[in-house]
Amino acid sequence: AAGVTTQRMADPISVRRATSADLGATAELAARLVRQHHQVDPGRFFLPEGVEQGYVAWFRKELARREAVIRNPETLRKLAM
């Protein structure tokens, strides 16, 4: 039909529960998001020193809580590169 565009569906993403081995890569991705938000609106989003280390510490604490759930894509390490 005229004016109709189609898009290819993204490949499916397999997610799993995070482990302590994932903390560095997970923190790197979280820090990228913080930096992106700060770049777009620095008045609204602050960028603390050591943001990656802060996320590693927080994620480690959360992994120890039974009720907390942190999920990662199977391709986590590729994304964090």
Side-chain angles (χ1 to χ4, degrees), residues 12 17 35-36 54 74:
R17 186 176 284 274
R35 287 186 182 94
Q36 182 182 18
E74 287 290 341

Side-chain angles (χ1 to χ4, degrees), residues 13 36 40 55-56 64 72:
I13 297 173
Q36 182 182 18
V40 170
Y55 271 113
V56 167
N72 285 332

Side-chain angles (χ1 to χ4, degrees), residues 3-80:
V4 174
T5 59
T6 60
Q7 291 181 332
R8 182 178 166 266
M9 294 294 291
D11 292 335
I13 297 173
S14 178
V15 293
R16 60 177 171 71
R17 186 176 284 274
T19 67
S20 60
D22 298 319
L23 294 180
T26 304
E28 172 61 32
L29 289 175
R32 282 187 197 177
L33 186 59
V34 168
R35 287 186 182 94
Q36 182 182 18
H37 283 123
H38 179 74
Q39 184 178 20
V40 170
D41 190 350
R44 184 173 173 202
F45 299 101
F46 68 97
L47 180 59
E49 293 279 330
V51 66
E52 286 91 349
Q53 294 85 0
Y55 271 113
V56 167
W58 185 63
F59 290 149
R60 185 179 324 275
K61 187 173 78 172
E62 288 299 295
L63 281 178
R65 294 179 52 235
R66 289 183 59 125
E67 59 277 355
V69 177
I70 301 172
R71 300 226 184 253
N72 285 332
E74 287 290 341
T75 56
L76 174 67
R77 285 174 188 82
K78 290 180 187 177
L79 293 172

